[in-house]
Amino acid sequence: MDEEYDVIVLGTGLKECILSGLLSVEGLKVLHMDRNDYYGGASTSLNLIQLWKRFRGDDKPNEKLGLSKEYNVDMIPKFMMANGGLVRVLIHTNVTKYLHFKAVDGSFVYNKGKIYKVPATDVEALKSPLMGLFEKRRARKFFIYVQDYDESDPKSHEGLDLSKVTAKQLITKYGLEDDTIDFIGHALALHFDDSYLDEPALDFVKRMKLYAESLARFQGGSPYIYPLYGLGELPQAFARLSAVYGGTYMLNKPECKVEFDGDGKAYGVTSEGETARCKKVVCDPSYLPNKVQKIGRVARAVCIMSHPIPNTNDSHSAQVILPQKQLGRKSDMYLFCCSYAHNVAPKGKFIAFVSTEAETDNPEVELKPGIDLLGPVDEIFYETYDRFIPTNTNEIDNCFISTSYDGSTHFESTVTDVLAMYSKITGKALDLSVDLSAASAAAEE
């Protein structure tokens, strides 16, 4: 291999595939390799036989579960915010033409032992059984402030500078109760813990606005969308995009060893005795284990069921967020459910996940509050995986390593990581001011 590439990407996880697509569109010469013979890396989708092999070894699935090939079970399940970063990237790169989306039926929050729909607008606040009468009025006023807030129009700020005022100070102004703050902060603004309360309120308000605008987009029961046939479609769509722009793909390449020169700079990747040369290497943590640090673990249960999650209005697809405080934990727990409506299981079957940042070594016990909300399950699998962050300096070693996926069931943090990596690699910010209506047709199907 005498050719030199601008970038060699290792691993076909979602982040790596988005980056190879974006970098190819940017005009860089990209070689994309994976030691596996399938797309998706840690974020792959499995059929029933693959799922059994991964969790149960040589056991065979029960025939009552239906055909193996009708299952597409995402190992890192996440929904996309309809107006969020990932959808903007999909439109920016025109990858939407390879994918079909369907809106997700419901967005819920757990409060005092029960599941409630997440109210996102002043109208919904007045209807929500989450709050008493007086609290509803206070919440409505707060929602109206957020809906009307416009960064470029000081009249809408009501004298508050949200780059200085903290989220806590803003909420205090409206006199909201702790339980209300809990669902707004975690199920609407999608914060993982309560540290946001001491940060400037601007980000918090922007996150609430994103949720409300995404919700209005498809007039569905949630702000989320999800691809038909599951997330496994995404890496492949970006791989196609990369190929259209001249990117080269090689799956099933053993080892993929990154080569470094005397100064510690990466200059290529060796597989099967051949070295492809490059200026930069992009990869997931598994390819450069000595340049990453473990920062936590995610505990997850994968369940196959024959019914929707109870108390979610029979939603065929739904997210339920269990805020940390409600469970006496340090971080939130998430339920994710989708079904044959998104072509990820045979008719009548539902796939549900319970995930959280692990705080113990016992996922069965730790995930119980979420699993108890699912009702009867046909099958359940448990797993725990480590989360890593890069510890290297890009300028010194030319290596750009993605962060492991967190336990959340939405994509906002994933996209933040990808965009930061893109800027480091290219020295440019990606312009995501796109025409969002470009994705709507597919989502309506």
Side-chain angles (χ1 to χ4, degrees):
M1 300 186 192
D2 298 329
E3 286 185 80
E4 181 167 358
Y5 295 89
D6 293 312
V7 180
I8 294 181
V9 181
L10 299 177
T12 50
L14 183 62
K15 291 184 186 185
E16 289 69 38
C17 286
I18 296 175
L19 278 166
S20 78
L22 289 172
L23 296 171
S24 300
V25 171
E26 180 60 33
L28 299 180
K29 190 173 178 187
V30 177
L31 170 63
H32 201 146
M33 301 163 79
D34 195 325
R35 58 171 99 86
N36 298 313
D37 59 357
Y38 56 84
Y39 282 107
S43 51
T44 189
S45 300
L46 305 181
N47 65 29
L48 206 56
I49 289 166
Q50 291 168 325
L51 188 69
W52 246 254
K53 194 174 161 190
R54 175 165 172 161
F55 289 106
R56 304 252 167 100
D58 294 333
D59 266 12
K60 292 285 178 279
N62 187 324
E63 287 177 2
K64 287 186 187 145
L65 294 172
L67 291 174
S68 168
K69 66 173 200 272
E70 291 193 5
Y71 284 88
N72 290 296
V73 183
D74 293 326
M75 288 297 93
I76 298 188
K78 289 180 187 281
F79 290 132
M80 305 173 189
M81 200 65 104
N83 280 14
L86 183 52
V87 170
R88 288 172 184 273
V89 169
L90 293 171
I91 295 169
H92 172 83
T93 52
N94 205 10
V95 169
T96 39
K97 66 180 175 212
Y98 303 125
L99 296 161
H100 291 287
F101 294 98
K102 195 169 184 281
V104 172
D105 297 336
S107 172
F108 300 88
V109 64
Y110 174 84
N111 186 279
K112 296 198 180 82
K114 282 186 162 161
I115 292 177
Y116 297 92
K117 183 180 186 312
V118 177
T121 62
D122 57 311
V123 180
E124 289 190 345
L126 284 179
K127 288 193 235 167
S128 174
L130 261 171
M131 301 170 279
L133 182 63
F134 295 110
E135 183 68 359
K136 279 179 181 172
R137 290 180 186 165
R138 289 188 286 267
R140 177 173 177 261
K141 281 186 181 147
F142 176 60
F143 279 134
I144 289 172
Y145 172 75
V146 170
Q147 276 154 242
D148 293 347
Y149 183 86
D150 174 353
E151 220 175 330
S152 57
D153 175 15
K155 281 207 231 20
S156 71
H157 300 185
E158 293 187 13
L160 298 174
D161 179 352
L162 295 194
S163 62
K164 296 197 175 71
V165 174
T166 65
K168 189 184 268 163
Q169 288 167 319
L170 174 64
I171 291 166
T172 305
K173 184 184 168 192
Y174 287 88
L176 300 175
E177 293 166 6
D178 279 352
D179 276 340
T180 308
I181 299 167
D182 222 16
F183 85 73
I184 290 176
H186 292 257
L188 269 174
L190 304 179
H191 286 290
F192 301 114
D193 55 34
D194 283 342
S195 57
Y196 76 93
L197 286 166
D198 300 317
E199 308 272 330
L202 186 58
D203 177 54
F204 167 61
V205 167
K206 279 184 174 165
R207 283 166 170 246
M208 284 184 68
K209 286 180 85 69
L210 171 64
Y211 188 103
E213 286 157 10
S214 297
L215 183 68
R217 179 84 184 282
F218 299 124
Q219 271 84 49
S222 88
Y224 302 108
I225 59 175
Y226 182 74
L228 293 178
Y229 304 102
L231 296 175
E233 297 294 295
L234 280 170
Q236 295 185 51
F238 279 102
R240 281 188 200 165
L241 172 79
S242 178
V244 167
Y245 283 91
T248 307
Y249 268 76
M250 296 181 181
L251 292 180
N252 214 358
K253 296 297 280 183
E255 288 183 347
C256 291
K257 177 175 176 282
V258 182
E259 302 289 354
F260 294 93
D261 65 18
D263 298 330
K265 284 194 185 307
Y267 68 82
V269 173
T270 302
S271 173
E272 298 177 301
E274 289 191 287
T275 303
R277 298 182 71 85
C278 64
K279 299 180 185 123
K280 290 172 179 161
V281 171
V282 173
C283 63
D284 70 47
S286 71
Y287 285 86
L288 288 171
N290 58 342
K291 290 183 181 281
V292 296
Q293 170 196 347
K294 180 177 161 182
I295 50 159
R297 302 168 78 207
V298 172
R300 176 171 290 131
V302 184
C303 308
I304 299 174
M305 315 195 297
S306 300
H307 59 85
I309 298 177
N311 308 308
T312 59
N313 311 334
D314 291 332
S315 297
H316 278 196
S317 49
Q319 174 179 262
V320 186
I321 293 181
L322 289 66
Q324 53 175 102
K325 251 192 208 151
Q326 300 291 328
L327 304 174
R329 294 175 52 80
K330 295 192 206 65
S331 52
D332 293 357
M333 192 174 289
Y334 298 84
L335 306 188
F336 172 108
C337 174
C338 59
S339 70
Y340 59 95
H342 275 95
N343 301 358
V344 297
K347 195 149 178 58
K349 293 294 176 193
F350 294 75
I351 313 282
F353 296 82
V354 183
S355 52
T356 189
E357 189 68 26
E359 293 172 13
T360 70
D361 287 329
N362 194 334
E364 284 92 336
V365 174
E366 194 163 354
L367 295 168
K368 193 174 183 308
I371 290 163
D372 286 348
L373 297 171
L374 298 178
V377 299
D378 303 340
E379 294 286 346
I380 188 163
F381 308 88
Y382 290 97
E383 74 166 343
T384 308
Y385 67 85
D386 293 339
R387 285 208 308 127
F388 297 97
I389 53 167
T391 52
N392 65 317
T393 309
N394 319 123
E395 294 79 20
I396 295 173
D397 63 9
N398 292 345
C399 296
F400 299 83
I401 307 170
S402 60
T403 305
S404 305
Y405 300 90
D406 59 37
S408 72
T409 46
H410 51 77
F411 267 114
E412 296 310 294
S413 56
T414 304
V415 178
T416 309
D417 185 33
V418 167
L419 296 180
M421 287 177 73
Y422 176 87
S423 297
K424 281 182 191 158
I425 295 163
T426 61
K428 302 176 182 176
L430 189 65
D431 177 18
L432 289 181
S433 51
V434 293
D435 173 16
L436 282 162
S437 65
S440 62
E444 300 293 344
E445 287 180 23

